């Protein structure tokens, strides 16, 4: 175990994903983590000593002190979002103690009885926590501001507001979602605005850009998405094409597709809250029709969309690199190299 | 062709390509030059090496890289791996000359010692000297269309393994290259060279 890691109590496997849920005794939170390691615990110390040493926990909640043995937790059947844990008497050999390394004396040998605790965090709360963690690690550039609250207090708020409205107009125009009544049992994923200032080559400010992104981290694998892989071009291929272009004096042209991901249609049913700060107050939620930025499957669906449209126009895709599309008539030919929404077109004549 | 794409989606026409995935492209009638100078500059800026003195070799040939002599003291910070990953992108995209150095250092990522960190900083100094250089593809027909080279060293890596390298060149510019530790132990230099050739093929 690394010195940074901390001991936590295992709760259950997370629905659909490779993560586990664990319980943090110090903050009384249930959180999700993928980076974990099961411990074989140290010898359980006699319970008499322990009960004395844990006043905080006993005051704080309905936690029972079990004598001698540590009842291991076993995940109940997952049904919807509720879960319960069935404590069962067993030896201590196969469970992990909920000991925080900094305060080891508080909980050793004692487990809270999960039966009495409701899930303290519905999924959206977790998304908030993940978000906080992300922010803590994100490199904040001068140019970027990934928080609506921060943008509102910044002196450039009028520009940002304009950018947000442009983005919402684009989303509405593309028909990205429709508003529906919230079906029972559905937890919509949340969203946020990301802001960036676009600069040109000399570093001069070109425009303010805002983009609404869904928090794909809250999506459940197997429920909200199945596959998320999509091909990108190999860098060798770009270099080879450039070498050929130099020799054969091909025309090169670069095209960028606007709001590329918003063009493809979402197959799964994904519900999202209304845009952060632009809620109309009716309590409706958005049923996504098009893939919004931030969804796990957005890249894949966009590639499908692009591929089918290109095939319709009778471009042939290479087997060795699925991101190269070719087309030729006699001596003339054109090659398209695709990097998500950036296209490089190599052609023998300027008209192509 | 452009209209085909424009019919299906809203597009921004950028004209002559300037930059794709961080690669800067400049075109003149007789050649195409690609470089990665902005990306390298941003790495140097992040590491505070903007004004360092350039060195002439990416990896000092007089220093023999060895596994961490202090044993398995796990280094919790991943700064070594992060920086190495950034340099790996440079090595794979633009600079075949640091490919060997990056590959050698990458085998110590799990447990880097001071020696490896120093070597990495040395590589940054090398890059600060070469960051404006790029690959040039020339239009001139006197260069052969496609040509490849391979080479191998014999038993100079850890555990007596050999290191192979290859590069393929078209229109006088490198297209694809690699430098790797061989998987099997070669018993002779000839065998090592054969392994390199089959890897390149």
């Amino acid at each position: 175990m690394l010195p940074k890691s901390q001991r936590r109590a295992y709760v259950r496997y997370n629905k659909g994903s490779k993560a586990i849920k664990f319980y943090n005794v110090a903050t009384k939170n249930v959180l999700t983590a993928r980076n974990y390691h099961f411990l074989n615990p140290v010898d359980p110390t006699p319970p008499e000593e322990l009960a004395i040493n844990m006043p905080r926990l006993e005051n704080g909640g309905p936690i029972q002190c079990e004598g001698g043995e540590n009842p291991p937790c076993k995940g109940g059947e997952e049904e919807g979002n509720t879960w319960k844990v069935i404590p069962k008497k067993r030896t201590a050999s196969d469970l992990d103690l909920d000991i925080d390394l900094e305060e080891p004396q508080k909980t050793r040998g004692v487990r809270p009885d999960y039966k009495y605790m409701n899930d303290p965090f519905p999924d959206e709360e977790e998304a908030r926590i993940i978000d906080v963690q992300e922010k803590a690690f994100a490199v904040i550039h001068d140019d970027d501001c990934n928080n609506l609250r921060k943008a509102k207090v910044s002196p450039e708020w009028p520009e940002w507001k304009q950018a947000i409205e442009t983005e919402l107009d684009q989303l509405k125009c593309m028909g990205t979602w429709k508003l529906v009544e919230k079906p029972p049992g559905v937890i919509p994923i949340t969203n946020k605005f990301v802001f960036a200032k676009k600069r040109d080559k000399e570093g001069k400010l070109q425009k303010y850009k805002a983009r609404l992104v869904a928090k794909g981290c809250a999506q459940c694998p197997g429920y909200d998405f199945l596959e998320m892989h999509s091909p990108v071009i190999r860098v060798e291929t770009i270099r080879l094409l450039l070498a050929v272009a130099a020799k054969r004096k091909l025309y090169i042209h670069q095209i960028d597709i606007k709001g590329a991901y918003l063009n493809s249609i979402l197959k799964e049913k994904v519900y999202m809250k209304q845009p952060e700060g632009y809620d109309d107050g009716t309590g409706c939620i958005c049923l996504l029709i098009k893939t919004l930025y931030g969804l796990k499957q957005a890249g894949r669906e966009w590639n499908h969309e692009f591929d089918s449209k290109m095939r319709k126009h009778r471009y042939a895709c290479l087997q060795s690199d699925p991101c190269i599309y070719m087309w030729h008539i006699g001596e003339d030919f054109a090659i398209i190299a695709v990097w998500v929404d950036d296209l490089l077109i190599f052609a023998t004549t300027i008209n192509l | 062709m452009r209209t085909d794409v424009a019919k299906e989606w809203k597009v921004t026409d950028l004209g002559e390509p300037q930059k794709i995935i961080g690669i800067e492209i400049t075109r003149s009638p007789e050649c195409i030059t690609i470089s990665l100078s902005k990306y390298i500059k941003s790495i140097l800026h992040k590491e505070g090496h903007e004004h360092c003195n350039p060195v002439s070799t990416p990896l000092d040939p007089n220093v023999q890289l060895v596994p961490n002599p202090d044993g398995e003291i796990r280094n919790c910070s991943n700064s070594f791996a992060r920086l190495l990953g950034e340099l790996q992108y440079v090595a794979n995209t633009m600079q075949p000359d640091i490919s060997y150095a990056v590959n050698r250092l990458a085998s110590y990522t799990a447990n880097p010692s001071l020696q490896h960190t120093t070597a990495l900083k040395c590589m940054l100094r090398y890059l600060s000297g070469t960051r404006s250089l790029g690959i040039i593809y020339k239009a001139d027909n006197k260069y052969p269309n496609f040509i490849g080279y391979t080479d191998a060293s014999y038993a100079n890596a850890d555990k007596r393994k050999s290191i192979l390298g290859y590069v393929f060149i078209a229109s006088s510019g490198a297209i694809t290259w690699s430098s790797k530790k061989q998987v099997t132990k070669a018993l002779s230099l000839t065998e090592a060279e054969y392994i390199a050739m089959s890897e390149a093929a």
Side-chain angles (χ1 to χ4, degrees), chain A residues 141 167 225 266 268:
Chain A
H141 293 282
E167 169 74 1
F225 67 94
L266 189 62
E268 290 84 9

Side-chain angles (χ1 to χ4, degrees), chain A residues 258-331:
Chain A
K258 273 186 196 168
Y261 283 8
L262 305 175
N263 287 299
S264 47
I265 287 162
L266 189 62
K267 291 196 194 89
E268 290 84 9
K269 239 184 193 175
V270 180
Y271 293 94
M272 190 186 71
K273 283 190 174 172
Q274 291 192 30
E276 189 190 12
Y278 286 80
D279 204 321
D280 65 358
T282 51
C284 290
I285 55 171
C286 307
L287 172 60
L288 292 178
I289 300 166
K290 301 283 180 68
T291 49
L292 189 63
Y293 283 85
L295 290 181
K296 296 259 187 197
Q297 67 269 53
R300 184 183 175 83
E301 296 299 335
W302 160 242
N303 193 269
H304 268 294
E305 157 87 10
F306 187 84
D307 188 64
S308 63
K309 289 278 166 65
M310 291 315 274
R311 278 170 203 275
K312 209 174 79 188
H313 287 287
R314 276 176 291 176
Y315 292 96
C317 155
L318 279 194
Q319 225 168 28
S320 49
D321 195 330
C323 287
I324 300 290
Y325 295 87
M326 286 182 63
W327 170 91
H328 62 94
I329 290 183
E331 287 287 282

